[in-house]
Amino acid sequence: MRGQCFKGHGNRKIEINHALQKLKTQATENLESELGKAIYSTICIELIPVFGNIKENKGFKRFTLTTLTKVNIEFGLIYCPQLF
């Protein structure tokens, strides 16, 4: 089946990014530690629903402004439009 999916013929190269694999392993270890589990459980309850609401219901995917001050204003307009 693999031959039907790929149309190129000849030698193929598969490159593995060892630095990325190391970072992924380190992130997994951090999340599975006791401190990581405690921090992640707090984040799940407090932050993820807020950003999910902004992305899904309000359709806000990325900031258009660049400086921190302007990004704070833009986020304020998205998060609390009744204040402005």
Side-chain angles (χ1 to χ4, degrees), residues 16-76:
I16 299 172
N17 187 339
H18 295 290
L20 179 61
Q21 294 298 327
K22 183 178 177 182
L23 289 173
K24 286 181 179 181
T25 304
Q26 187 178 14
T28 303
E29 290 172 359
N30 289 340
L31 283 173
E32 292 176 351
S33 70
E34 291 300 320
L35 178 61
K37 289 178 183 178
I39 291 172
Y40 188 72
S41 66
T42 304
I43 289 172
C44 286
I45 295 169
E46 295 175 2
L47 293 178
I48 292 177
V50 173
F51 288 105
N53 179 36
I54 290 170
K55 287 176 72 177
E56 186 66 29
N57 297 331
K58 297 187 179 189
F60 185 76
K61 304 288 186 200
R62 62 176 59 191
F63 292 99
T64 57
L65 304 173
T66 54
T67 64
L68 183 59
T69 305
K70 292 178 181 179
V71 167
N72 284 335
I73 292 170
E74 187 175 9
F75 185 73

Short mmCIF file of all heavy atoms in Angstrom, two decimals, residues 16-76:
data_model
loop_
_atom_site.label_atom_id
_atom_site.label_comp_id
_atom_site.label_asym_id
_atom_site.label_seq_id
_atom_site.Cartn_x
_atom_site.Cartn_y
_atom_site.Cartn_z
N ILE A 16 15.48 12.86 10.93
CA ILE A 16 14.95 12.92 12.29
C ILE A 16 15.61 14.09 13.00
O ILE A 16 16.84 14.20 13.01
CB ILE A 16 15.22 11.60 13.05
CG1 ILE A 16 14.52 10.44 12.34
CG2 ILE A 16 14.78 11.72 14.49
CD1 ILE A 16 14.86 9.09 12.89
N ASN A 17 14.79 14.94 13.58
CA ASN A 17 15.30 16.08 14.33
C ASN A 17 15.51 15.63 15.77
O ASN A 17 14.57 15.53 16.55
CB ASN A 17 14.30 17.24 14.25
CG ASN A 17 14.84 18.49 14.86
OD1 ASN A 17 15.75 18.46 15.68
ND2 ASN A 17 14.26 19.62 14.45
N HIS A 18 16.75 15.34 16.12
CA HIS A 18 17.05 14.82 17.45
C HIS A 18 16.82 15.86 18.53
O HIS A 18 16.42 15.51 19.64
CB HIS A 18 18.48 14.29 17.50
CG HIS A 18 18.69 13.11 16.60
ND1 HIS A 18 18.14 11.87 16.86
CD2 HIS A 18 19.36 12.98 15.43
CE1 HIS A 18 18.47 11.03 15.90
NE2 HIS A 18 19.22 11.67 15.01
N ALA A 19 17.08 17.13 18.23
CA ALA A 19 16.85 18.19 19.21
C ALA A 19 15.36 18.28 19.55
O ALA A 19 14.98 18.44 20.71
CB ALA A 19 17.37 19.53 18.69
N LEU A 20 14.50 18.16 18.53
CA LEU A 20 13.06 18.21 18.76
C LEU A 20 12.60 17.01 19.57
O LEU A 20 11.78 17.15 20.48
CB LEU A 20 12.31 18.26 17.42
CG LEU A 20 10.79 18.29 17.51
CD1 LEU A 20 10.31 19.52 18.26
CD2 LEU A 20 10.18 18.23 16.12
N GLN A 21 13.13 15.84 19.27
CA GLN A 21 12.77 14.64 20.03
C GLN A 21 13.17 14.79 21.50
O GLN A 21 12.42 14.40 22.40
CB GLN A 21 13.46 13.40 19.43
CG GLN A 21 12.97 13.05 18.04
CD GLN A 21 11.50 12.70 18.02
OE1 GLN A 21 10.95 12.15 18.96
NE2 GLN A 21 10.83 13.04 16.93
N LYS A 22 14.34 15.39 21.75
CA LYS A 22 14.80 15.61 23.11
C LYS A 22 13.87 16.58 23.85
O LYS A 22 13.51 16.36 25.01
CB LYS A 22 16.23 16.15 23.10
CG LYS A 22 16.83 16.36 24.45
CD LYS A 22 18.25 16.86 24.36
CE LYS A 22 18.81 17.12 25.75
NZ LYS A 22 20.17 17.66 25.71
N LEU A 23 13.45 17.66 23.16
CA LEU A 23 12.55 18.62 23.78
C LEU A 23 11.18 18.00 24.08
O LEU A 23 10.58 18.28 25.12
CB LEU A 23 12.40 19.86 22.89
CG LEU A 23 13.62 20.75 22.80
CD1 LEU A 23 13.39 21.84 21.75
CD2 LEU A 23 13.94 21.38 24.14
N LYS A 24 10.69 17.16 23.17
CA LYS A 24 9.41 16.49 23.41
C LYS A 24 9.48 15.56 24.62
O LYS A 24 8.57 15.51 25.43
CB LYS A 24 8.99 15.69 22.17
CG LYS A 24 8.49 16.54 21.03
CD LYS A 24 8.06 15.65 19.87
CE LYS A 24 7.53 16.43 18.72
NZ LYS A 24 7.10 15.56 17.61
N THR A 25 10.58 14.84 24.72
CA THR A 25 10.76 13.94 25.86
C THR A 25 10.83 14.73 27.16
O THR A 25 10.21 14.36 28.16
CB THR A 25 12.06 13.12 25.68
OG1 THR A 25 11.98 12.43 24.45
CG2 THR A 25 12.24 12.14 26.81
N GLN A 26 11.56 15.83 27.13
CA GLN A 26 11.68 16.68 28.32
C GLN A 26 10.32 17.27 28.71
O GLN A 26 9.98 17.31 29.90
CB GLN A 26 12.68 17.80 28.05
CG GLN A 26 13.01 18.63 29.25
CD GLN A 26 14.05 19.69 28.92
OE1 GLN A 26 14.32 19.96 27.75
NE2 GLN A 26 14.62 20.28 29.94
N ALA A 27 9.53 17.70 27.74
CA ALA A 27 8.20 18.25 28.04
C ALA A 27 7.30 17.19 28.64
O ALA A 27 6.56 17.46 29.59
CB ALA A 27 7.58 18.82 26.76
N THR A 28 7.36 15.98 28.12
CA THR A 28 6.56 14.88 28.67
C THR A 28 6.95 14.58 30.10
O THR A 28 6.10 14.40 30.97
CB THR A 28 6.72 13.62 27.80
OG1 THR A 28 6.33 13.93 26.46
CG2 THR A 28 5.86 12.49 28.32
N GLU A 29 8.26 14.55 30.36
CA GLU A 29 8.73 14.30 31.72
C GLU A 29 8.27 15.40 32.67
O GLU A 29 7.88 15.13 33.81
CB GLU A 29 10.26 14.19 31.74
CG GLU A 29 10.78 12.94 31.08
CD GLU A 29 12.28 12.93 30.93
OE1 GLU A 29 12.94 13.92 31.32
OE2 GLU A 29 12.81 11.94 30.41
N ASN A 30 8.33 16.66 32.21
CA ASN A 30 7.88 17.77 33.06
C ASN A 30 6.39 17.67 33.38
O ASN A 30 5.97 17.94 34.50
CB ASN A 30 8.18 19.11 32.39
CG ASN A 30 9.66 19.43 32.37
OD1 ASN A 30 10.42 18.88 33.14
ND2 ASN A 30 10.06 20.32 31.49
N LEU A 31 5.59 17.30 32.37
CA LEU A 31 4.15 17.19 32.60
C LEU A 31 3.79 16.02 33.51
O LEU A 31 2.80 16.08 34.23
CB LEU A 31 3.41 17.04 31.26
CG LEU A 31 3.26 18.32 30.45
CD1 LEU A 31 2.68 18.00 29.08
CD2 LEU A 31 2.36 19.30 31.17
N GLU A 32 4.59 14.97 33.47
CA GLU A 32 4.29 13.79 34.27
C GLU A 32 4.84 13.86 35.70
O GLU A 32 4.52 13.01 36.52
CB GLU A 32 4.81 12.54 33.57
CG GLU A 32 4.04 12.24 32.29
CD GLU A 32 4.61 11.07 31.52
OE1 GLU A 32 5.70 10.57 31.87
OE2 GLU A 32 3.95 10.64 30.56
N SER A 33 5.64 14.90 36.00
CA SER A 33 6.15 15.05 37.36
C SER A 33 5.02 15.53 38.28
O SER A 33 3.97 15.98 37.82
CB SER A 33 7.31 16.06 37.39
OG SER A 33 6.83 17.36 37.15
N GLU A 34 5.24 15.45 39.59
CA GLU A 34 4.20 15.87 40.54
C GLU A 34 3.90 17.37 40.40
O GLU A 34 2.74 17.78 40.39
CB GLU A 34 4.65 15.55 41.97
CG GLU A 34 4.70 14.07 42.27
CD GLU A 34 3.36 13.40 42.09
OE1 GLU A 34 2.32 13.98 42.48
OE2 GLU A 34 3.33 12.27 41.55
N LEU A 35 4.94 18.19 40.27
CA LEU A 35 4.74 19.63 40.11
C LEU A 35 4.03 19.93 38.79
O LEU A 35 3.12 20.76 38.74
CB LEU A 35 6.09 20.37 40.16
CG LEU A 35 6.04 21.88 39.96
CD1 LEU A 35 5.20 22.53 41.07
CD2 LEU A 35 7.44 22.45 39.94
N GLY A 36 4.43 19.23 37.74
CA GLY A 36 3.79 19.42 36.44
C GLY A 36 2.31 19.08 36.46
O GLY A 36 1.49 19.78 35.88
N LYS A 37 1.97 17.99 37.12
CA LYS A 37 0.56 17.60 37.22
C LYS A 37 -0.25 18.64 37.99
O LYS A 37 -1.38 18.96 37.62
CB LYS A 37 0.44 16.24 37.90
CG LYS A 37 0.91 15.09 37.04
CD LYS A 37 0.82 13.78 37.79
CE LYS A 37 1.35 12.63 36.97
NZ LYS A 37 1.32 11.36 37.68
N ALA A 38 0.34 19.18 39.06
CA ALA A 38 -0.37 20.19 39.86
C ALA A 38 -0.59 21.47 39.05
O ALA A 38 -1.68 22.04 39.06
CB ALA A 38 0.42 20.50 41.13
N ILE A 39 0.43 21.90 38.33
CA ILE A 39 0.31 23.13 37.52
C ILE A 39 -0.69 22.92 36.39
O ILE A 39 -1.54 23.77 36.13
CB ILE A 39 1.69 23.54 36.97
CG1 ILE A 39 2.59 24.01 38.12
CG2 ILE A 39 1.56 24.64 35.92
CD1 ILE A 39 4.02 24.25 37.71
N TYR A 40 -0.60 21.77 35.72
CA TYR A 40 -1.49 21.51 34.58
C TYR A 40 -2.95 21.42 35.02
O TYR A 40 -3.84 21.89 34.32
CB TYR A 40 -1.07 20.23 33.86
CG TYR A 40 -1.83 20.01 32.58
CD1 TYR A 40 -1.58 20.79 31.46
CD2 TYR A 40 -2.81 19.03 32.48
CE1 TYR A 40 -2.28 20.61 30.29
CE2 TYR A 40 -3.51 18.83 31.32
CZ TYR A 40 -3.24 19.62 30.22
OH TYR A 40 -3.94 19.44 29.06
N SER A 41 -3.20 20.83 36.18
CA SER A 41 -4.59 20.73 36.64
C SER A 41 -5.16 22.11 36.94
O SER A 41 -6.33 22.37 36.70
CB SER A 41 -4.68 19.84 37.88
OG SER A 41 -4.02 20.43 38.98
N THR A 42 -4.33 23.03 37.43
CA THR A 42 -4.78 24.40 37.69
C THR A 42 -5.06 25.12 36.37
O THR A 42 -6.06 25.82 36.23
CB THR A 42 -3.72 25.18 38.49
OG1 THR A 42 -3.44 24.46 39.68
CG2 THR A 42 -4.19 26.56 38.83
N ILE A 43 -4.18 24.95 35.40
CA ILE A 43 -4.34 25.60 34.11
C ILE A 43 -5.61 25.12 33.42
O ILE A 43 -6.35 25.90 32.82
CB ILE A 43 -3.11 25.35 33.21
CG1 ILE A 43 -1.91 26.12 33.75
CG2 ILE A 43 -3.36 25.73 31.77
CD1 ILE A 43 -0.61 25.80 33.06
N CYS A 44 -5.88 23.82 33.49
CA CYS A 44 -7.07 23.26 32.83
C CYS A 44 -8.35 23.88 33.35
O CYS A 44 -9.28 24.12 32.61
CB CYS A 44 -7.11 21.75 33.03
SG CYS A 44 -5.93 20.86 32.03
N ILE A 45 -8.39 24.14 34.64
CA ILE A 45 -9.61 24.67 35.24
C ILE A 45 -9.75 26.17 34.98
O ILE A 45 -10.83 26.66 34.69
CB ILE A 45 -9.60 24.39 36.76
CG1 ILE A 45 -9.68 22.89 37.00
CG2 ILE A 45 -10.74 25.11 37.46
CD1 ILE A 45 -9.41 22.48 38.43
N GLU A 46 -8.64 26.91 35.06
CA GLU A 46 -8.72 28.37 35.03
C GLU A 46 -8.56 28.98 33.65
O GLU A 46 -9.30 29.90 33.29
CB GLU A 46 -7.65 28.95 35.96
CG GLU A 46 -7.89 28.59 37.41
CD GLU A 46 -6.77 29.07 38.32
OE1 GLU A 46 -5.83 29.70 37.81
OE2 GLU A 46 -6.84 28.79 39.52
N LEU A 47 -7.60 28.52 32.84
CA LEU A 47 -7.25 29.25 31.63
C LEU A 47 -7.77 28.66 30.33
O LEU A 47 -8.21 29.40 29.46
CB LEU A 47 -5.73 29.37 31.52
CG LEU A 47 -5.07 30.23 32.58
CD1 LEU A 47 -3.57 30.22 32.40
CD2 LEU A 47 -5.59 31.64 32.52
N ILE A 48 -7.71 27.38 30.19
CA ILE A 48 -8.04 26.77 28.90
C ILE A 48 -9.48 27.08 28.45
O ILE A 48 -9.69 27.40 27.29
CB ILE A 48 -7.74 25.27 28.92
CG1 ILE A 48 -6.22 25.08 29.01
CG2 ILE A 48 -8.29 24.57 27.70
CD1 ILE A 48 -5.75 23.66 29.11
N PRO A 49 -10.49 27.03 29.33
CA PRO A 49 -11.84 27.38 28.86
C PRO A 49 -11.96 28.82 28.38
O PRO A 49 -12.69 29.10 27.43
CB PRO A 49 -12.71 27.15 30.09
CG PRO A 49 -11.95 26.20 30.94
CD PRO A 49 -10.51 26.50 30.69
N VAL A 50 -11.22 29.73 29.00
CA VAL A 50 -11.28 31.14 28.59
C VAL A 50 -10.76 31.30 27.18
O VAL A 50 -11.41 31.91 26.32
CB VAL A 50 -10.46 32.01 29.58
CG1 VAL A 50 -10.38 33.44 29.07
CG2 VAL A 50 -11.09 31.97 30.96
N PHE A 51 -9.58 30.75 26.90
CA PHE A 51 -9.01 30.89 25.56
C PHE A 51 -9.78 30.07 24.53
O PHE A 51 -9.88 30.48 23.37
CB PHE A 51 -7.53 30.51 25.58
CG PHE A 51 -6.69 31.53 26.28
CD1 PHE A 51 -6.19 31.28 27.55
CD2 PHE A 51 -6.43 32.75 25.71
CE1 PHE A 51 -5.42 32.22 28.21
CE2 PHE A 51 -5.67 33.71 26.35
CZ PHE A 51 -5.15 33.44 27.61
N GLY A 52 -10.33 28.94 24.93
CA GLY A 52 -11.17 28.17 24.01
C GLY A 52 -12.40 28.95 23.60
O GLY A 52 -12.81 28.93 22.45
N ASN A 53 -13.02 29.66 24.54
CA ASN A 53 -14.18 30.49 24.24
C ASN A 53 -13.81 31.60 23.26
O ASN A 53 -14.54 31.86 22.30
CB ASN A 53 -14.75 31.08 25.53
CG ASN A 53 -15.95 31.97 25.28
OD1 ASN A 53 -16.75 31.70 24.40
ND2 ASN A 53 -16.05 33.04 26.04
N ILE A 54 -12.70 32.24 23.50
CA ILE A 54 -12.27 33.34 22.63
C ILE A 54 -11.99 32.83 21.23
O ILE A 54 -12.39 33.45 20.24
CB ILE A 54 -11.03 34.04 23.23
CG1 ILE A 54 -11.43 34.81 24.49
CG2 ILE A 54 -10.39 34.98 22.22
CD1 ILE A 54 -10.26 35.33 25.28
N LYS A 55 -11.33 31.68 21.11
CA LYS A 55 -10.99 31.15 19.79
C LYS A 55 -12.21 30.62 19.05
O LYS A 55 -12.41 30.92 17.88
CB LYS A 55 -9.95 30.04 19.92
CG LYS A 55 -8.57 30.55 20.26
CD LYS A 55 -7.61 29.41 20.46
CE LYS A 55 -7.28 28.76 19.16
NZ LYS A 55 -6.28 27.69 19.28
N GLU A 56 -13.03 29.83 19.73
CA GLU A 56 -14.13 29.16 19.05
C GLU A 56 -15.34 30.06 18.87
O GLU A 56 -15.87 30.21 17.78
CB GLU A 56 -14.51 27.89 19.82
CG GLU A 56 -15.55 27.05 19.12
CD GLU A 56 -15.03 26.45 17.82
OE1 GLU A 56 -13.82 26.22 17.69
OE2 GLU A 56 -15.87 26.23 16.93
N ASN A 57 -15.80 30.68 19.93
CA ASN A 57 -17.05 31.45 19.87
C ASN A 57 -16.87 32.85 19.30
O ASN A 57 -17.77 33.36 18.65
CB ASN A 57 -17.67 31.54 21.26
CG ASN A 57 -18.05 30.17 21.80
OD1 ASN A 57 -18.34 29.26 21.04
ND2 ASN A 57 -18.01 30.02 23.10
N LYS A 58 -15.72 33.46 19.55
CA LYS A 58 -15.50 34.81 19.05
C LYS A 58 -14.66 34.84 17.77
O LYS A 58 -14.48 35.88 17.17
CB LYS A 58 -14.85 35.67 20.13
CG LYS A 58 -15.76 35.83 21.34
CD LYS A 58 -15.21 36.79 22.33
CE LYS A 58 -16.21 36.90 23.50
NZ LYS A 58 -15.87 37.97 24.40
N GLY A 59 -14.13 33.70 17.37
CA GLY A 59 -13.39 33.60 16.12
C GLY A 59 -12.05 34.32 16.13
O GLY A 59 -11.52 34.67 15.08
N PHE A 60 -11.48 34.55 17.29
CA PHE A 60 -10.21 35.27 17.40
C PHE A 60 -9.07 34.27 17.41
O PHE A 60 -8.91 33.50 18.35
CB PHE A 60 -10.20 36.12 18.67
CG PHE A 60 -8.99 36.99 18.81
CD1 PHE A 60 -8.86 38.14 18.06
CD2 PHE A 60 -7.98 36.66 19.69
CE1 PHE A 60 -7.75 38.95 18.19
CE2 PHE A 60 -6.87 37.45 19.84
CZ PHE A 60 -6.75 38.60 19.08
N LYS A 61 -8.25 34.27 16.37
CA LYS A 61 -7.17 33.29 16.25
C LYS A 61 -5.78 33.89 16.47
O LYS A 61 -4.89 33.23 16.93
CB LYS A 61 -7.19 32.63 14.87
CG LYS A 61 -8.50 31.97 14.54
CD LYS A 61 -8.72 30.72 15.34
CE LYS A 61 -9.98 30.04 14.85
NZ LYS A 61 -10.54 29.12 15.75
N ARG A 62 -5.57 35.16 16.09
CA ARG A 62 -4.25 35.75 16.27
C ARG A 62 -4.34 37.27 16.40
O ARG A 62 -5.29 37.89 15.95
CB ARG A 62 -3.31 35.38 15.13
CG ARG A 62 -3.74 35.86 13.78
CD ARG A 62 -2.72 35.55 12.72
NE ARG A 62 -2.50 34.13 12.64
CZ ARG A 62 -1.53 33.55 11.97
NH1 ARG A 62 -0.70 34.28 11.29
NH2 ARG A 62 -1.38 32.26 11.95
N PHE A 63 -3.33 37.81 17.04
CA PHE A 63 -3.27 39.25 17.24
C PHE A 63 -2.78 39.92 15.96
O PHE A 63 -1.96 39.38 15.25
CB PHE A 63 -2.31 39.60 18.39
CG PHE A 63 -2.83 39.16 19.73
CD1 PHE A 63 -2.39 37.99 20.30
CD2 PHE A 63 -3.75 39.92 20.41
CE1 PHE A 63 -2.85 37.57 21.54
CE2 PHE A 63 -4.24 39.52 21.64
CZ PHE A 63 -3.78 38.34 22.20
N THR A 64 -3.29 41.13 15.70
CA THR A 64 -2.85 41.87 14.52
C THR A 64 -1.83 42.95 14.87
O THR A 64 -1.16 43.46 13.98
CB THR A 64 -4.06 42.53 13.82
OG1 THR A 64 -4.73 43.36 14.75
CG2 THR A 64 -5.02 41.49 13.31
N LEU A 65 -1.73 43.31 16.14
CA LEU A 65 -0.78 44.33 16.57
C LEU A 65 0.47 43.67 17.15
O LEU A 65 0.47 42.48 17.45
CB LEU A 65 -1.45 45.25 17.59
CG LEU A 65 -2.75 45.90 17.08
CD1 LEU A 65 -3.44 46.66 18.19
CD2 LEU A 65 -2.45 46.82 15.92
N THR A 66 1.55 44.47 17.34
CA THR A 66 2.81 43.84 17.68
C THR A 66 3.35 44.18 19.07
O THR A 66 3.85 43.30 19.74
CB THR A 66 3.88 44.20 16.64
OG1 THR A 66 3.95 45.62 16.53
CG2 THR A 66 3.55 43.59 15.30
N THR A 67 3.28 45.40 19.53
CA THR A 67 3.89 45.71 20.82
C THR A 67 3.02 45.19 21.95
O THR A 67 1.81 44.99 21.80
CB THR A 67 4.11 47.22 20.98
OG1 THR A 67 2.85 47.87 21.00
CG2 THR A 67 4.96 47.78 19.86
N LEU A 68 3.64 44.98 23.11
CA LEU A 68 2.92 44.41 24.26
C LEU A 68 1.76 45.31 24.68
O LEU A 68 0.67 44.81 24.99
CB LEU A 68 3.88 44.18 25.41
CG LEU A 68 3.30 43.52 26.64
CD1 LEU A 68 2.72 42.16 26.31
CD2 LEU A 68 4.36 43.39 27.72
N THR A 69 1.96 46.60 24.68
CA THR A 69 0.90 47.53 25.07
C THR A 69 -0.30 47.40 24.13
O THR A 69 -1.45 47.32 24.57
CB THR A 69 1.42 48.98 25.05
OG1 THR A 69 2.58 49.06 25.88
CG2 THR A 69 0.37 49.95 25.53
N LYS A 70 -0.04 47.37 22.84
CA LYS A 70 -1.13 47.26 21.86
C LYS A 70 -1.81 45.90 21.91
O LYS A 70 -3.02 45.80 21.75
CB LYS A 70 -0.58 47.54 20.45
CG LYS A 70 -0.16 48.99 20.27
CD LYS A 70 0.41 49.20 18.88
CE LYS A 70 0.87 50.64 18.70
NZ LYS A 70 1.43 50.85 17.36
N VAL A 71 -1.03 44.85 22.16
CA VAL A 71 -1.62 43.51 22.29
C VAL A 71 -2.53 43.46 23.51
O VAL A 71 -3.61 42.87 23.46
CB VAL A 71 -0.51 42.43 22.36
CG1 VAL A 71 -1.07 41.10 22.80
CG2 VAL A 71 0.17 42.29 21.01
N ASN A 72 -2.11 44.08 24.61
CA ASN A 72 -2.97 44.13 25.81
C ASN A 72 -4.28 44.85 25.52
O ASN A 72 -5.35 44.42 25.97
CB ASN A 72 -2.23 44.82 26.96
CG ASN A 72 -1.19 43.93 27.58
OD1 ASN A 72 -1.28 42.72 27.51
ND2 ASN A 72 -0.18 44.54 28.17
N ILE A 73 -4.22 45.93 24.77
CA ILE A 73 -5.44 46.66 24.41
C ILE A 73 -6.32 45.79 23.50
O ILE A 73 -7.53 45.70 23.70
CB ILE A 73 -5.09 47.99 23.72
CG1 ILE A 73 -4.43 48.92 24.73
CG2 ILE A 73 -6.33 48.64 23.11
CD1 ILE A 73 -3.82 50.16 24.12
N GLU A 74 -5.71 45.15 22.51
CA GLU A 74 -6.47 44.30 21.59
C GLU A 74 -7.13 43.15 22.34
O GLU A 74 -8.30 42.82 22.11
CB GLU A 74 -5.55 43.78 20.49
CG GLU A 74 -6.27 43.03 19.41
CD GLU A 74 -5.34 42.62 18.28
OE1 GLU A 74 -4.11 42.75 18.40
OE2 GLU A 74 -5.87 42.14 17.26
N PHE A 75 -6.40 42.53 23.26
CA PHE A 75 -6.97 41.43 24.04
C PHE A 75 -8.10 41.94 24.92
O PHE A 75 -9.12 41.27 25.08
CB PHE A 75 -5.90 40.76 24.89
CG PHE A 75 -6.40 39.55 25.61
CD1 PHE A 75 -6.65 38.38 24.93
CD2 PHE A 75 -6.66 39.59 26.97
CE1 PHE A 75 -7.12 37.26 25.58
CE2 PHE A 75 -7.14 38.47 27.63
CZ PHE A 75 -7.36 37.31 26.92
N GLY A 76 -7.93 43.13 25.49
CA GLY A 76 -9.01 43.72 26.30
C GLY A 76 -10.27 43.94 25.48
O GLY A 76 -11.38 43.73 25.97
#
